[in-house]
Amino acid sequence: MNKFVPLSNGLPDHGFLKMARRLAGLCLFLFSYVAQAQPKPQPLGTWFIGTVQLPARERGWGGFVEGQVRSNTLFDQVNYYEVKGGISYDLGPAFSAMIATGRYHTYNFRDLADGPQLLETRLWEQITMSQNVERLKFEHRYRVEQRWFGESTPENVAIQGRFRNRVRYRMNLMIPLNAMTIQPKTVFVSIYDELFLNFKAPHLERNRVYAGLGYQIDRNWIVQAGWVNQYDQAPVNIGDKNNVVLSVMYRLHRKNGERVRLPTQVD
């Protein structure tokens, strides 16, 4: 159930500040733990994300399309891109279901002309639930993926096979800094942690931690810049890699209004 408690007389709410400090301490602990787990240093990479979103009304259909480009180093050595899209159905102000599909290409950045090392087609189903505690905005996302691998290097085929299932859970926290809600002219902080789980051992495939700063420019445009640490354990223990994330979201609008939705990344 959503809970909204206004700040009294415009003064800082000490309960909110105490909770925010605890959350910040927990995030710092998680970041330091992930950093210590790194088996070997890797260069800082870059993710570019562009999303067009059609929000649903409080009850009804919505959708999105998204493209991503990733590079092995900072703004150089492009080695990955993906395109995806899906439709959603909102059952109320705090509950949404989605089905989507995507195509994913991974290249050797040293020889792009050699073609993709790994081609993947993905179908997924997900449920998203949101909750507000004062100005803290929580979003819980549960996703089940079906993954088909096409042309690949022999090593990738032997390790992963042609088909795999995966389950993902992400907890996203957003905190508007200059307003109680995220609306035009609002600066906000976004933090999330996501687990990727396999049905086969080792069951923990990946962990992804993100922290960023966003700004909703107007009703349509939202930009974010942040940092993501991705730790890959299965099918091969690659270790972790830090990346700069730059994202732009454009929201279409319905004439009769739409549900207020957090500007979370689809990935």
Side-chain angles (χ1 to χ4, degrees), residues 122-124 143-147 164-166 168:
R122 194 178 300 173
L123 177 70
W124 74 85
R143 178 183 291 183
V144 180
E145 296 178 330
Q146 299 82 49
R147 308 166 67 198
R164 291 176 70 90
N165 288 300
R166 186 166 65 184
R168 296 166 58 171

Side-chain angles (χ1 to χ4, degrees), residues 178-198:
N178 59 333
M180 286 300 296
T181 60
I182 299 177
Q183 55 190 323
K185 310 300 182 184
T186 302
V187 180
F188 60 90
V189 171
S190 178
I191 301 169
Y192 72 71
D193 186 88
E194 183 169 22
L195 294 173
F196 297 67
L197 303 173
N198 282 317

Side-chain angles (χ1 to χ4, degrees), residues 6-12:
L7 300 180
S8 59
N9 302 323
L11 297 176

Side-chain angles (χ1 to χ4, degrees), residues 90-133:
D90 287 24
L91 302 175
F95 188 91
S96 178
M98 174 182 285
I99 183 168
T101 185
R103 183 72 166 167
Y104 306 77
H105 299 241
T106 303
Y107 291 81
N108 179 356
F109 63 85
R110 296 183 180 88
D111 189 4
L112 297 178
D114 194 37
Q117 292 181 302
L118 184 63
L119 296 177
E120 179 184 349
T121 300
R122 194 178 300 173
L123 177 70
W124 74 85
E125 305 80 38
Q126 74 178 38
I127 293 173
T128 304
M129 295 180 288
S130 58
Q131 178 186 21
N132 298 337
V133 181

Side-chain angles (χ1 to χ4, degrees), residues 151-163:
E151 295 182 16
S152 307
T153 60
E155 294 80 6
N156 281 324
V157 173
I159 293 170
Q160 302 195 74
R162 292 294 183 182
F163 175 78

